[in-house]
Amino acid sequence: MKDIITLAIESSCDETACAILKNGRQVLANVISTQIDIHKKFGGVVPEVASRKHIENIDIVVEEALEKAGMKFSDISHIAVTYGPGLVGALLVGLSYAKSLAFSLGIPLVGVNHIEGHLSANYIEHEDLVPPFVTLIVSGGHTHLVEVKDYGDYEILGKTKDDASGEAFDKIARAMGLGYPGGPIVDRLAKEGDPNAIDFPRACIHEEGYDFSFSGLKSSVLNYLNSMKMKEKEIVAEDVCASFQAAVVDVLSYKAIKATKDKGYTRLTLSGGVAANSALRDTLKTRAELEGIDLKYPPMVLCTDNAAMIGCAGYYRYINGRRDDMYLNAVPNLKI
Ligand code: KG4
Ligand code: ZN
């Protein structure tokens, strides 16, 4: 059978990325141009700036991906592109580019849900991974517990009622003046701190169901910081980071294990930017082992935004017959 070559484009937030995959799981090129250094100055992603940078970078990343893969446009079987969720202006850059490419090459276009992309990162890393399983998707914009019944067949078991877990990391880091993005900085500082120093709340942990809430935890950390400042007491950033992170990790891992067991599965995957968190990976691994659950997570480069994961999700949509036309639009709040 002829190999299926996917050219994938991702531009939903502040990474302009292009990847080329063979038969969905073999990554031939995975080029990511990050804008973090630009947005750092503003303490977060500035949507208008992100769109403009995507326009400047998209041609470059596509050409680089083709070169790395040793491919020409004529070798590509179909285009996969993120069409939501994300920042509308940012999404439109990748989507318009992908549509033009598919149209001019006369090959199919397949729109991909960014969240589905995140969970698909595990298929790339783990050759033997096949549905069904439960997955925990934790990123800057999303916190979802999903039952993956088959490729493209999902049931949402729970999600955050307010802030996403990565957003909580970013907001806490910002309040402490630590920089952007907050997750990797908090992760690093937490290694030097005491996770039991401050007793931050574990919202929803004893609630029925699998929903999450992180805004109360965020307020609790902000209140703690304010009260320490009022009392002119020293704030030990390492302890605050470690205690905050422990609260997030505790709830995420507890609910993920519970959902996996309740649904009768022995396989759990983790994905999204927050899946790069060392405490989350370690805690979940330990708790999964104790319960006889096989835990899989992607390497760091496939945790945060990239186009390889979009290509993998796009490949399965493609072989399942999904085709999009030139009317495909960006959907900023697209649901999985
Ligand atoms: O998946 P991603 O690149 O973008 C979205 O789809 O949102 O995730 C970015 C998020 C940011 O909130 C960032 O702070 C968080 O992932 N993140 C981490 C770590 N590395 C990235 N959070 C906790 N610990 C980390 N090591
Ligand atoms: Zn993402």
Side-chain angles (χ1 to χ4, degrees):
M1 228 170 65
K2 199 170 173 276
D3 288 329
I4 295 174
I5 307 292
T6 306
L7 186 148
I9 291 174
E10 154 65 35
S11 69
S12 66
C13 191
D14 58 346
E15 264 92 28
T16 324
C18 178
I20 296 177
L21 290 87
K22 186 167 147 185
N23 299 326
R25 292 192 180 209
Q26 194 185 336
V27 180
L28 304 179
N30 186 23
V31 179
I32 306 165
S33 167
T34 180
Q35 306 172 5
I36 282 181
D37 283 343
I38 297 159
H39 298 289
K40 232 180 207 167
K41 295 177 208 136
F42 305 100
V45 179
V46 184
E48 184 56 31
V49 176
S51 313
R52 285 168 193 270
K53 282 286 150 197
H54 284 311
I55 295 172
E56 284 173 23
N57 292 337
I58 191 130
D59 246 335
I60 303 167
V61 296
V62 172
E63 269 173 31
E64 197 180 324
L66 283 167
E67 198 184 311
K68 282 207 167 128
M71 296 250 157
K72 305 181 289 302
F73 277 131
S74 55
D75 298 318
I76 308 298
S77 317
H78 73 110
I79 308 289
V81 62
T82 307
Y83 73 106
L87 302 168
V88 68
L91 287 165
L92 279 171
V93 177
L95 182 57
S96 310
Y97 192 96
K99 284 202 248 181
S100 324
L101 213 52
F103 182 73
S104 57
L105 296 172
I107 56 174
L109 174 76
V110 178
V112 174
N113 181 313
H114 182 83
I115 309 174
E116 186 179 10
H118 272 302
L119 77 88
S120 303
N122 278 295
Y123 293 133
I124 297 172
E125 182 63 12
H126 308 287
E127 272 174 31
D128 54 338
L129 179 67
V130 287
F133 53 87
V134 168
T135 188
L136 173 66
I137 310 163
V138 275
S139 74
H142 325 281
T143 302
H144 282 64
L145 252 175
V146 179
E147 182 180 354
V148 180
K149 296 178 176 175
D150 201 345
Y151 297 104
D153 184 4
Y154 309 112
E155 185 180 331
I156 298 182
L157 304 174
K159 59 179 192 260
T160 182
K161 298 181 201 171
D162 38 58
D163 291 353
S165 45
E167 195 179 346
F169 272 93
D170 294 339
K171 286 180 176 167
I172 296 308
R174 191 176 181 160
M176 295 173 75
L178 297 175
Y180 172 85
I185 308 168
V186 171
D187 191 350
R188 200 174 58 241
L189 285 178
K191 290 199 172 90
E192 313 293 324
D194 174 5
N196 299 311
I198 312 146
D199 188 17
F200 289 131
R202 270 81 168 146
C204 300
I205 204 159
H206 298 301
E207 253 178 39
E208 278 282 307
Y210 312 104
D211 282 342
F212 303 98
S213 166
F214 296 104
S215 74
L217 169 61
K218 175 191 68 190
S219 302
S220 184
V221 177
L222 297 182
N223 289 342
Y224 171 83
L225 294 171
N226 285 336
S227 79
M228 293 298 275
K229 275 182 207 148
M230 298 258 287
K231 291 181 206 153
E232 294 180 354
K233 285 194 178 164
E234 189 203 350
I235 295 168
V236 183
E238 290 81 355
D239 285 349
V240 179
C241 289
S243 303
F244 158 77
Q245 182 175 272
V248 176
V249 167
D250 206 11
V251 181
L252 287 175
S253 48
Y254 177 83
K255 293 248 166 171
I257 298 280
K258 185 168 184 328
T260 312
K261 281 171 60 184
D262 290 353
K263 289 283 161 187
Y265 290 116
T266 53
R267 199 178 301 132
L268 169 67
T269 73
L270 174 66
S271 61
V274 183
N277 185 267
S278 54
L280 180 59
R281 289 163 94 101
D282 293 348
T283 306
L284 210 45
K285 196 163 193 285
T286 309
R287 292 188 184 178
E289 264 166 22
L290 281 173
E291 300 288 348
I293 293 171
D294 173 28
L295 173 73
K296 297 201 184 306
Y297 43 71
M300 297 294 191
V301 67
L302 296 179
C303 285
T304 43
D305 289 349
N306 65 87
M309 66 184 196
I310 303 300
C312 180
Y315 165 83
Y316 285 106
R317 285 193 172 212
Y318 175 79
I319 58 169
N320 284 332
R322 162 114 185 208
R323 302 290 182 267
D324 285 292
D325 60 23
M326 292 299 126
Y327 292 101
L328 181 67
N329 207 349
V331 185
N333 58 356
L334 183 67
K335 307 273 179 287
I336 188 172

